Every structure is written in structure tokens, then in C-alpha cells.
């Protein structure tokens, strides 16, 4: 796919980026590695310094195409399907949508009324079904994940498909659950050594089985579901209305946060910023998904809140800002460190033997992770279970979670929680990007919550040791009344870590208070997110999602304002001498060879050095295939001059002027670069042609602008796929 290019300014017409040639046929029918041609084709021109085949890339198609082969062309008159992963031609799509609306509006009578009703209701039917489907699937997925996670440690005696919580429901606090048995108890193993060996072996074996089967499914059926998927959604959700609404519903179900899902689409996906109708559809889908989730009630709480915070008070004290700001700074630092470690791990994986053996990597690293995690209780349990208990305050009526509330074991718990957080930083940095579906939210929340709970325990221990110190003067004089709530410190730590990793702000705050129900502590959460983002931004402006977009070289243009330093369009423009162009009066067979040999989305059409227009490759191939179906002769000449302007001549000349794009933006190469970038951002353009006096001088594509905006990012283009 894409290869990183030299980002330094070039002299003359040589731009920041260059179009290159992608051979589509066997080597005997295409250009060799040195760029020379096996046969001289006089009717199209290529770059004078064509790069090696290793540097071949498509100037417009991007990440989702696995093999890079074009789809079969379709007959004229039918809409030509986009190749998988190609950018959307919004000018053409919006024109087609306006035409469809016009045709519906011209219909009369009962048929016209029914067509209008179908057009109005159809989208909302899909919206409602999408929301319901997302909620139902998400709810049962939560049930399945919890059951499989608990299955690694034991089983329910009266129902194999019950997880531990469901198996032990209805018991009084502190009462032992005899219905849930570990595997050593179920198999009647008495020796302590044999019990430990059996439990760890089953834990590691099932972990490998789950991760390995997931890797096989991803490798075989969903190669772009290998991590969170949000960078891919960001790349394809500009004005894809239904997809943006579905993404909002997914976030709503994943975190029990309907409002956070809508704000996530607004802030992180840039999906709603210029279209209120899209936001409204996303809101409806998000609400319906949340209602479906709560109706199924997979958590058995009749609430959407996943990690309920038990607040003993609704106020917080000024001295707590000190540990909270400390947690915010640590969250920003660790978030930035996690991004850098993850980037380094991804680049190493791409250029090592691991790239060729992704399933083996998953199995091996899962075995290592399980073996390291099993001896430490806070790493052995599921992350969702650990976070839920770290957010809880100690309560004698609820029992003690693995000694977390033992006042005599404060320093032991601080050590274990800190060790858990640091170990998860390393594991997350490596595993995020392996061939398994794995998000970044829950691991990041776990890291931050572990550190936050550790700081909360330290603060609580200091208050108990020095209750009369001036720092704690605002605490109640009665020592039996809780002054410090370590559970909420875990929430602050989680929000700080998330802010440092994702660089989200408003949507993150909303997701967190919907996730925890801590409505009275929104202000401390906002402070932690703000400080962590400031600290993390000092080491790099891009969050984890933007970093992966830059590394994968997805054609996503951020909405942020671009300012040039006096450069013009010539700074990124590819000069006419280095473009693959279609010449008027070319042979049909030569046009067929050109369309099949090159993977560009389209070609400028010239007559001599005069620019006639721009033709899309898919439309050109569809027309050529239709002509060949009637007459396979390829020696007929073709013209792109409109019939009214074409000179009288041989009637055998094929007129292909109808294939030219009706709306192609043309500029002079001395226009400010800032104007060019703004046009791509606001008009959803795929390309701009540059001319002077009617003569073609160059071209800029969306990919060139993407590279311009991401060239300064660390390892930009390092994971772009090579599609030869």
C-alpha cells in the first residue's frame, strides 16, 4: 500500500509526494523494476524517474483492500461499485442523491405518495433496527465474555453456562459460595501443589484457546478487526450517515453511555460536526441501543451503569486536589509513554518475522501473559471485574475483595496495584495491534484505576496515621467517618489515563460519569482530563487513534485548521511530466492496457499539452469492457473531444467524451497551500487539477494532503500496506 516518503520540500515541480505505477498484470506484461518499459506505448506517459516496485503505491485507494486487485467493471448505465476501501467521491454521490430525490418528487398519484413514504420511513427503520441489533448483540456479548473469563478458573455445579456472579447470586454478604467450584475442587485434587499446577495449566490453556481462535477468525474473515477499529471508523465515517449512527450506538452499548456515544461521534469521529441531521440519527440509534441493553440487563443490576461508584458523600475537599493533580500528571506521562511504546512495538512487529506469523505471535504472547498474570490476583481476574471492585468503597456488608480493604495490608496492596498497572502498560503496549480484536479503553481504565486506588490508599493511610495534621483539618473530627474515598481516586486515575492515551475531552468526561454514576464528582473528572491532556500534549499532540491513522496512512483529514508558511500548491503538486495521463486519439487497446496496468483512481485527459478533463478509471474500464463485449478489436481510435467540437472524420473513431467528469476543480499552482488543504477538508475532494492557460501543469490528490498533514507524526506511514 503506502510507503513513507521524504517530507522535505523539493525544488521545482517535484512535490512532497509522487504518483507511481502499480502493475496489474504478470511481470512480462508490465513495467520492470527499473521503471523502463518492455514495450513502447506511445499514447500515455509515465514518470521519467519511476520508483522501484517496492515504492509502488496507489494514490487514492487505501487500507481495506487486501490484495489490491480491481473489481470487475460493470456495464454502462449502472452505478460502478467502489473498490473495497477506496475513498468516496462525494461530489458524484451527492449529485446522484439529488437526482434520486428529484425523480421521487416528480412521481404523481398513489405511487408517488408511497415512494415519498418509503423514502422518509426507510432510513428510520434501518436506524431503529441498527440500534436494537447493536444493543442485543452487545448485551449477549457481555454475558459470553464474562462466562468465558470465569471458565478459566472454575465452573458452576448446577449450570455449566453460569458465570461466577450468576452462580452465586442470592447469597448473603460474606457467605461462601459452594455452588461455584474451582477446577481442582471439581476434579477432587487434594494436593496444594497439584491444585496450583492444575489451575494455572487450565487458565493458560483456555487463554491460549480463546486468543488463538480469535486470531484465526480475524486472520481469515476480518483482517481489519485486529484492534479497536476506531481508526478505521474515523477513516470511513465522514458523511456516512448510517455508519456514524451505528458507531455511536456501539459506544453507547460498550460503556452504557448513550449520551457519551453521541458526543464520541461528535468529538472523536468528526461525524456530526457539519450535519445536524446525522447527529439526530446518531442520538436515536444510541438511545435505542441503550434501551435494548437495559431491557436484556446482562449485568443483573437493572441499570446501565457498568462500574457503579458507591459514594459515601457528595462533597470533596480541597486537599484532595493535590493527589488528584498528581494522578493527572502521571496519567498524562504514562499515556504518552504507552503511545510511544505501542508505536515502537507495532513498527518492530511489521519489520520482523512476527509479521509473517501473526497467529503464532498471538498464541506465544498469550501464554506469556497468562503465565505472568496468574500468580498475581489483580492481574488474573478479568479487567472489568477488577475495575468494578477498584471503584467500590470498602463496606463490611459486602466483604473484602482479595484483601483490598485490609487496613493492615495497605503497603502490600499499594505494591500489588502499582505492579499491576506497570505490567499492564507493557502488555497493552505490545498487544494493541496484534491480530486480535482488542480495544484500548478497558486496559487503559484498568491501568489508571489501579494507580488511582494505590494513591487513594496512601492518602487514606496518611489520614489515619495523622488525623490531626493541618492538611486534614477539613475532615470530620470523628475518625469513624470516612474522609478519603479511595474508590473515587480510582475513577480519577482512570480518567487521567484515558485522557493521556486518547486525548478525548468532553465525550470522555460524559462517558466516565455515565459509566460510574459519579454525577456529583464531574468537576474533579474534568480537571483530571484537562491536566492529563496538557501534560500528554507536551510530548506529542496525537492520541492513540490519530497515531494509528498516521502509521496506517489512512486518508483521513482532520478538521483542524492548517496554516502554511508561504508555500503554494506547487509544494505538494505532482508535475504534469510525472503524471500518468490519457492522450486524446489513443487506441482502444492502449487505453485498456493503461486502465488495467495502473491502480490510480483516474487519469487527466490531454490533447497535446491542453487539458481536456479527468476520467475515472472505473468508468473507463466499464466502458471499454462494454465495447469489447460487442467488438473485441482494440485498434480503434478514441477521442475525448465533445461531438460538437470534434472535427468531421472517420466514423469509426469512438467518442468517449461522456466519460469525463462533469465537475473537476482546476486551480493555478501558485495558489496558497492553505487554500488547497481547506478545499480538500471542506469539500470532500479526491483530487484537484492545476492548469495554466488551459495546459495541464500538475495534480494533487487527497493522499498527498493526508501525507502533508501527517508527515511530522512519528513513524508516519510505517504500517501502510504494500499492495503490489
Amino acid at each position: 500500500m503506502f510507503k513513507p516518503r521524504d517530507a522535505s520540500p523539493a525544488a521545482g515541480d517535484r512535490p512532497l509526494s509522487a504518483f507511481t505505477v502499480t502493475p496489474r498484470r504478470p511481470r512480462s506484461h508490465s513495467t520492470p523494476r527499473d521503471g523502463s518499459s518492455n514495450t513502447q506505448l506511445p499514447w500515455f506517459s509515465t514518470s521519467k524517474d519511476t520508483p522501484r516496485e517496492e515504492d509502488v503505491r496507489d494514490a487514492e485507494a487505501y487500507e481495506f483492500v487486501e490484495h489490491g486487485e480491481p473489481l470487475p467493471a460493470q456495464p454502462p448505465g449502472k452505478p460502478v461499485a467502489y473498490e473495497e476501501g477506496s475513498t468516496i467521491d462525494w461530489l458524484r454521490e451527492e449529485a446522484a442523491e439529488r437526482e434520486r430525490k428529484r425523480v421521487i418528487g416528480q412521481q404523481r398519484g398513489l405511487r408517488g405518495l408511497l415512494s415519498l413514504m418509503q423514502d422518509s420511513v426507510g432510513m428510520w427503520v434501518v436506524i431503529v433496527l441498527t440500534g436494537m441489533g447493536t444493543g442485543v448483540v452487545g448485551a449477549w456479548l457481555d454475558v459470553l465474555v464474562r462466562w468465558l473469563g470465569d471458565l478459566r478458573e472454575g465452573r458452576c455445579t448446577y449450570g455449566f453456562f453460569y458465570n461466577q456472579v450468576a452462580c452465586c447470586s442470592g447469597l448473603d454478604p460474606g457467605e461462601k459460595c459452594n455452588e461455584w467450584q474451582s477446577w481442582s475442587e471439581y476434579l477432587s485434587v487434594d494436593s496444594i501443589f497439584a491444585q496450583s499446577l492444575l489451575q494455572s495449566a487450565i487458565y493458560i490453556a483456555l487463554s491460549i484457546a480463546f486468543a488463538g481462535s480469535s486470531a484465526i477468525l480475524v486472520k481469515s474473515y476480518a483482517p481489519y478487526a485486529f484492534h479497536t477499529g476506531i481508526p478505521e471508523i474515523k477513516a470511513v465515517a465522514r458523511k456516512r450517515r448510517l455508519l456514524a449512527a451505528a458507531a455511536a450506538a456501539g459506544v453507547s452499548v460498550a460503556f452504557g453511555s448513550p449520551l457519551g456515544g453521541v458526543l464520541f461521534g461528535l468529538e472523536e469521529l468528526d461525524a456530526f460536526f457539519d450535519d445536524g441531521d446525522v447527529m439526530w440519527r446518531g442520538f436515536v440509534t444510541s438511545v435505542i441501543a441503550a434501551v435494548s441493553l437495559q431491557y436484556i440487563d446482562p449485568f443483573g443490576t437493572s441499570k446501565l451503569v457498568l462500574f457503579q461508584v458507591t459514594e459515601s458523600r457528595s462533597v470533596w475537599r480541597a486537599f484532595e486536589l493535590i493527589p488528584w493533580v498528581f494522578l493527572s500528571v502521571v496519567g498524562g506521562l504514562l499515556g504518552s509513554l504507552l503511545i510511544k511504546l505501542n508505536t515502537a512495538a507495532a513498527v518492530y512487529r511489521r519489520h520482523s518475522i512476527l509479521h509473517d506469523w501473526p497467529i503464532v505471535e498471538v498464541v506465544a504472547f498469550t501464554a506469556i501473559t497468562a503465565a505472568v498474570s496468574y500468580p498475581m490476583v489483580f492481574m488474573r481476574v478479568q479487567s472489568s471485574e477488577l475495575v468494578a471492585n477498584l471503584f467500590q468503597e470498602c463496606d463490611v456488608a459486602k466483604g473484602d475483595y482479595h484483601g483490598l480493604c485490609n487496613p493492615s495490608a495497605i503497603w502490600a496492596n499499594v505494591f500489588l496495584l502499582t505492579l499491576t498497572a506497570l505490567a499492564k502498560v507493557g502488555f497493552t503496549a505490545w498487544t494493541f495491534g496484534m491480530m486480535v480484536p482488542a480495544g484500548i479503553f478497558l486496559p487503559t481504565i484498568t491501568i489508571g484505576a489501579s494507580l488511582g486506588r494505590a494513591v487513594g490508599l496512601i492518602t487514606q493511610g496518611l489520614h489515619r496515621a495523622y488525623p490531626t495534621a493541618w492538611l486534614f483539618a477539613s475532615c470530620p473530627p470523628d475518625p469513624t467517618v470516612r474522609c478519603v474515598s479511595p474508590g473515587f481516586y480510582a475513577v480519577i486515575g482512570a480518567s487521567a489515563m484515558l485522557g493521556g492515551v486518547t486525548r478525548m475531552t468532553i465525550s470522555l468526561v460524559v462517558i466516565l460519569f455515565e459509566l460510574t454514576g459519579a454525577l456529583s464528582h464531574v468537576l474533579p473528572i474534568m480537571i483530571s482530563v484537562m491536566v492529563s491532556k496538557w501534560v500528554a500534549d507536551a510530548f506529542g499532540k496525537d492520541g492513540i487513534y490519530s497515531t494509528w491513522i498516521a502509521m496506517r496512512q489512512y486518508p483521513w483529514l482532520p478538521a483542524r485548521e492548517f496554516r502554511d508558511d508561504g508555500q503554494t500548491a506547487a509544494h505538494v503538486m505532482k508535475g504534469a511530466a510525472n503524471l500518468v495521463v490519457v492522450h486524446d486519439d489513443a487506441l482502444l487497446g492502449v487505453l485498456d492496457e493503461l486502465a488495467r496496468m495502473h491502480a490510480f483512481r483516474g487519469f487527466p485527459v490531454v490533447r497535446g499539452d491542453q487539458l481536456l478533463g479527468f476520467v475515472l478509471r472505473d468508468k473507463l474500464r466499464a466502458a471499454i469492457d462494454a465495447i469489447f463485449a460487442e467488438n473485441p478489436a482494440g485498434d480503434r481510435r478514441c477521442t475525448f473531444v465533445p461531438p460538437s467540437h470534434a472535427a468531421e472524420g472517420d466514423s469509426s473513431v469512438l467518442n468517449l467524451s461522456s466519460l469525463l467528469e462533469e465537475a473537476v476543480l482546476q486551480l493555478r499552482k501558485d495558489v496558497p497551500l492553505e487554500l488547497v488543504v481547506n478545499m480538500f477538508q471542506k469539500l470532500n475532494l479526491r483530487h484537484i487539477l492545476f492548469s495554466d492557460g488551459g495546459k495541464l501543469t500538475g495534480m494533487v490528490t487527497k493522499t498527498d494532503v493526508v501525507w502533508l498533514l501527517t508527515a511530522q507524526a512519528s513513524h508516519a506511514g510505517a504500517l501502510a500496506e504494500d499492495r503490489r
Side-chain angles (χ1 to χ4, degrees):
M1 187 176 151
F2 297 161
K3 287 287 186 180
R5 295 167 289 183
D6 185 7
S8 59
D13 282 341
R14 187 165 182 81
L16 179 69
S17 61
F19 295 105
T20 54
V21 177
T22 302
R24 290 293 184 183
R25 294 188 174 181
R27 185 167 299 281
S28 60
H29 298 287
S30 61
T31 55
R33 286 183 178 267
D34 60 2
S36 61
S37 178
N38 293 332
T39 58
Q40 184 66 26
L41 299 177
W43 297 106
F44 67 89
S45 58
T46 57
S47 170
K48 297 178 181 178
D49 53 350
T50 305
R52 298 178 305 161
E53 186 172 319
E54 292 82 12
D55 296 326
V56 168
R57 54 180 286 269
D58 186 341
E60 276 292 342
Y62 60 98
E63 78 284 6
F64 297 80
V65 180
E66 187 171 2
H67 302 294
E69 288 300 323
L71 296 177
Q74 300 184 15
K78 293 185 179 180
V80 181
Y82 288 100
E83 295 180 13
E84 184 183 3
S86 62
T87 55
I88 302 300
D89 187 347
W90 289 112
L91 294 178
R92 183 171 69 176
E93 293 300 319
E94 290 172 356
E97 178 67 10
R98 288 195 299 270
E99 177 64 18
R100 189 185 69 84
K101 294 279 189 183
R102 186 187 67 80
V103 171
I104 292 176
Q106 288 181 342
Q107 297 181 6
R108 296 293 182 264
L110 180 60
R111 181 178 180 182
L113 180 61
L114 293 177
S115 298
L116 286 174
M117 292 178 59
Q118 181 182 4
D119 184 60
S120 301
V121 176
M123 174 61 74
W124 289 108
V125 171
V126 175
I127 289 289
V128 171
L129 293 178
T130 300
M132 293 177 61
T134 304
V136 171
V137 172
W140 287 109
L141 184 61
D142 286 330
V143 173
L144 179 63
V145 168
R146 293 196 176 194
W147 173 66
L148 290 176
D150 289 344
L151 192 63
R152 296 178 299 176
E153 299 189 58
R155 59 156 293 174
C156 187
T157 55
Y158 63 86
F160 180 73
F161 293 101
Y162 285 95
N163 60 31
Q164 187 172 5
V165 174
C167 184
C168 300
S169 60
L171 297 178
D172 295 330
E175 185 179 353
K176 184 179 172 158
C177 178
N178 295 318
E179 288 77 14
W180 180 264
Q181 292 183 336
S182 64
W183 288 113
S184 58
E185 293 174 339
Y186 179 75
L187 297 175
S188 302
V189 177
D190 298 327
S191 171
I192 297 179
F193 175 77
Q195 288 179 356
S196 301
L197 190 62
L198 176 65
Q199 289 292 139
S200 60
I202 294 178
Y203 183 90
I204 296 173
L206 288 181
S207 297
I208 292 175
F210 298 155
S213 59
S214 176
I216 292 173
L217 291 174
V218 171
K219 178 69 174 176
S220 304
Y221 302 104
Y224 295 97
F226 65 96
H227 57 32
T228 176
I230 290 179
E232 286 72 23
I233 294 297
K234 285 170 68 74
V236 299
R238 299 180 66 77
K239 290 191 175 181
R240 286 194 177 181
R241 295 172 174 84
L242 185 57
L243 185 58
V251 175
S252 171
V253 169
F255 305 107
S257 175
L259 183 57
V262 178
L263 293 178
F264 181 85
L266 177 64
E267 179 181 4
E268 189 63 25
L269 300 182
D270 297 329
F272 310 144
F273 74 96
D274 62 346
D275 197 331
D277 191 38
V278 179
M279 179 183 287
W280 168 236
R281 291 171 181 172
F283 179 83
V284 173
T285 312
S286 180
V287 170
I288 293 176
V291 169
S292 302
L293 177 68
Q294 187 167 7
Y295 177 78
I296 297 177
D297 190 22
F299 313 113
T301 60
S302 300
K303 299 179 181 179
L304 276 178
V305 178
L306 270 70
F307 307 123
Q308 180 72 52
V309 174
T310 54
E311 300 176 79
S312 60
R313 54 186 174 83
S314 59
V315 297
W316 51 275
R317 296 170 176 85
F319 76 87
E320 292 183 296
L321 286 175
I322 298 175
W324 289 349
V325 170
F326 170 75
L327 280 173
S328 303
V329 173
V330 172
L333 293 174
L334 280 182
S336 179
L337 176 63
L338 178 59
I339 293 175
K340 294 183 183 302
L341 291 176
N342 178 248
T343 301
V347 173
Y348 173 78
R349 177 184 298 113
R350 181 57 183 270
H351 300 290
S352 68
I353 194 175
L354 296 176
H355 180 67
D356 300 322
W357 301 91
I359 298 178
V360 174
E361 179 198 4
V362 170
V363 170
F365 203 81
T366 300
I368 295 173
T369 304
V372 173
S373 300
Y374 185 79
M376 294 189 293
V377 62
F378 293 144
M379 292 190 64
R380 180 169 69 243
V381 298
Q382 296 185 61
S383 294
S384 57
E385 179 185 347
L386 176 62
V387 170
N389 284 277
L390 291 178
F391 284 178
Q392 296 288 322
E393 299 300 340
C394 293
D395 189 346
V396 293
K398 295 183 178 180
D400 193 357
Y401 182 75
H402 297 292
L404 193 62
C405 296
N406 187 352
S408 62
I410 289 181
W411 294 110
N413 285 325
V414 168
F415 172 76
L416 288 176
L417 290 171
T418 304
L419 183 62
T420 298
L422 295 179
K424 284 188 175 291
V425 167
F427 288 150
T428 303
W430 184 270
T431 56
F432 186 72
M434 287 200 315
M435 194 59 68
V436 287
I440 197 68
F441 256 75
L442 191 54
T444 304
I445 289 176
T446 306
I447 295 169
S450 299
L451 291 175
R453 185 75 182 213
V455 172
L457 290 176
I458 293 175
T459 307
Q460 188 181 56
L462 290 175
H463 172 251
R464 288 174 177 174
Y466 308 100
T468 58
W470 65 269
L471 187 64
F472 305 112
S474 58
C475 290
D478 186 357
T480 61
V481 178
R482 181 186 292 125
C483 179
V484 177
S485 300
F488 189 71
Y489 282 65
V491 176
I492 295 295
S495 62
M497 193 68 194
L498 275 175
V501 171
T502 65
R503 312 297 167 85
M504 294 162 52
T505 53
I506 300 174
S507 59
L508 177 58
V509 172
V510 174
I511 288 174
L512 278 169
F513 79 67
E514 286 187 300
L515 193 70
T516 62
L519 298 179
S520 62
H521 284 61
V522 171
L523 184 58
I525 294 176
M526 294 176 66
I527 293 174
S528 67
V529 171
M530 177 183 67
V531 174
S532 66
K533 178 173 170 56
W534 277 345
V535 173
D537 282 349
F539 298 92
K541 295 292 185 181
D542 292 331
I544 189 71
Y545 304 133
S546 299
T547 300
W548 270 85
I549 287 176
M551 289 195 298
R552 300 280 294 181
Q553 204 67 65
Y554 293 161
W556 174 74
L557 295 176
R560 61 174 178 264
E561 188 176 12
F562 172 80
R563 294 291 186 184
D564 59 45
D565 295 324
Q567 299 101 326
T568 64
H571 181 71
V572 296
M573 182 189 74
K574 183 64 178 178
N578 294 325
L579 291 177
V580 176
V581 301
V582 170
H583 286 266
D584 189 53
D585 203 29
L587 295 178
L588 183 63
V590 172
L591 292 182
D592 180 54
E593 179 76 10
L594 179 146
R596 293 180 181 277
M597 179 181 296
H598 303 296
F600 306 134
R601 310 255 38 94
F603 311 95
V605 181
V606 297
R607 189 177 191 182
D609 57 359
Q610 295 294 313
L611 177 62
L612 296 181
F614 189 84
V615 61
L616 293 176
R617 189 193 64 177
D618 53 7
K619 293 176 66 175
L620 181 62
R621 288 197 57 194
I624 293 175
D625 289 348
I627 295 172
F628 276 152
E630 298 178 359
N631 186 353
D635 57 352
R636 287 173 292 176
R637 296 194 177 276
C638 305
T639 182
F640 290 87
V641 178
S644 60
H645 297 83
E648 295 294 334
D650 190 354
S651 59
S652 64
V653 175
L654 297 172
N655 195 299
L656 303 179
S657 59
S658 61
L659 300 180
L660 295 178
E661 291 295 286
E662 296 180 355
V664 178
L665 189 59
Q666 298 183 41
L667 299 174
R668 294 174 61 89
K669 67 178 182 179
D670 55 356
V671 299
L673 181 58
E674 178 182 329
L675 175 63
V676 175
V677 174
N678 287 338
M679 285 184 171
F680 274 97
Q681 289 176 321
K682 297 177 181 179
L683 299 180
N684 286 308
L685 300 178
R686 305 171 87 190
H687 47 256
I688 294 178
L689 298 178
F690 295 89
S691 60
D692 187 4
K695 298 180 180 180
L696 177 67
T697 57
M699 181 178 177
V700 171
T701 68
K702 186 176 183 180
T703 300
D704 298 310
V705 178
V706 169
W707 179 259
L708 173 69
L709 298 180
T710 61
Q712 304 303 321
S714 176
H715 303 295
L719 303 184
E721 294 189 2
D722 184 15
R723 297 180 298 120
R724 285 177 282 191

